[in-house]
Amino acid sequence: MIELNSASVNVLLADDHSLIRQGIVFLLEDMDWECEIFQASSLQQLMNSIQEHPIDIAIIDAHFPDGNSITIVPEIKKISPKTKILIFTGIEESTHSLKFLNAGADGFLSKLNEEEEIAEAIKKMYTHGSYISEVTQALLRSSISNPTLINPLLSLTERELQIAEMYAEGLGNLEIANRLDVKQNTVSTIKKRIFDKLKIENIVELIDLMKKHY
């Protein structure tokens, strides 16, 4: 058992799966931590809780049915700068942790970790204000020599970046092809290459990246 001698702490558990939230509740109880727990199953509920309560630690999944949480991390920090954000998710840490940290999250933790590691991460979020795993620490070191880990747009060619910007403006394949005087299937090929390089799946994610890095 990890014991924390502290005043009452407000913890927000945001995940669309109730079993995940309940599992964290059990961990907090086992830590003998005096805290008030708020829960959210959507981004909208999450933001409502941030606006209505002084949240000390927000433990947030990466994806919800109503969107990707990376889009609201900066909003949380703007509304409640003192709130510490721990992204707790099943997505690949080596692929995604840096972009969440770059967006303003204070920690990133895989749901595949053992209970002890999860409890330790939550403790460090409170005592140190952040949690950086060994995997993410290695990524941060690598980002010094490979800036694309921090800004993935740097991996795009000038042409790819130009087309990515057009997609972000709301243009479709035909409009982009006409504007650049190229074939539509050429634009489609470049779009696939952009998505592969940025490790994204749709235009919404592309727009988010463009907002953050361009």
Side-chain angles (χ1 to χ4, degrees), residues 95-143:
T95 305
H96 298 281
S97 64
L98 290 187
K99 67 181 181 182
F100 276 94
L101 294 181
N102 195 44
D106 302 288
F108 188 101
L109 181 66
S110 170
K111 290 178 179 176
L112 299 178
N113 279 307
E114 297 294 331
E115 288 185 7
E116 184 124 352
E117 181 68 19
I118 296 170
E120 186 66 22
I122 296 172
K123 176 186 176 183
K124 285 185 177 179
M125 288 295 295
Y126 182 71
T127 58
H128 295 84
S130 65
Y131 170 78
I132 307 297
S133 72
E134 291 183 5
V135 171
T136 298
Q137 286 180 42
L139 289 172
L140 287 169
R141 288 192 293 269
S142 297
S143 70

Side-chain angles (χ1 to χ4, degrees), residues 4 17 43 46 58 60 86 95 117 144 159 181:
L4 296 177
H17 295 97
L43 290 181
L46 189 166
I60 304 173
L86 175 65
T95 305
E117 181 68 19
I144 296 173
R159 187 61 146 184
D181 194 24

Side-chain angles (χ1 to χ4, degrees), residues 36-191:
E36 185 169 359
I37 300 172
F38 303 91
Q39 299 192 34
S41 60
S42 67
L43 290 181
Q44 185 60 57
Q45 289 180 10
L46 189 166
M47 293 308 297
N48 289 344
S49 291
I50 291 292
Q51 291 167 340
E52 294 169 6
H53 309 288
I55 301 299
D56 296 300
I57 299 174
I59 301 173
I60 304 173
D61 194 6
H63 296 290
F64 291 83
D66 55 337
N68 188 325
S69 62
I70 196 170
T71 62
I72 53 90
V73 168
E75 293 182 46
I76 294 173
K77 288 297 186 177
K78 189 179 297 183
I79 295 169
S80 181
K82 292 184 178 179
T83 297
K84 301 303 178 183
I85 301 172
L86 175 65
I87 301 300
F88 183 55
T89 178
I91 64 176
E92 183 64 39
E93 181 173 3
S94 61
T95 305
H96 298 281
S97 64
L98 290 187
K99 67 181 181 182
F100 276 94
L101 294 181
N102 195 44
D106 302 288
F108 188 101
L109 181 66
S110 170
K111 290 178 179 176
L112 299 178
N113 279 307
E114 297 294 331
E115 288 185 7
E116 184 124 352
E117 181 68 19
I118 296 170
E120 186 66 22
I122 296 172
K123 176 186 176 183
K124 285 185 177 179
M125 288 295 295
Y126 182 71
T127 58
H128 295 84
S130 65
Y131 170 78
I132 307 297
S133 72
E134 291 183 5
V135 171
T136 298
Q137 286 180 42
L139 289 172
L140 287 169
R141 288 192 293 269
S142 297
S143 70
I144 296 173
S145 58
N146 184 7
T148 61
L149 290 172
I150 294 293
N151 183 357
L153 295 181
L154 295 175
S155 66
L156 302 182
T157 65
E158 186 175 342
R159 187 61 146 184
E160 290 164 351
L161 186 59
Q162 181 186 26
I163 290 177
E165 186 178 6
M166 290 181 180
Y167 279 122
E169 290 173 359
L171 301 182
N173 287 357
L174 181 58
E175 293 171 298
I176 295 173
N178 289 337
R179 184 175 291 189
L180 298 178
D181 194 24
V182 298
K183 293 181 179 180
Q184 192 171 342
N185 62 355
T186 299
V187 176
S188 297
T189 299
I190 294 176
K191 176 184 178 181

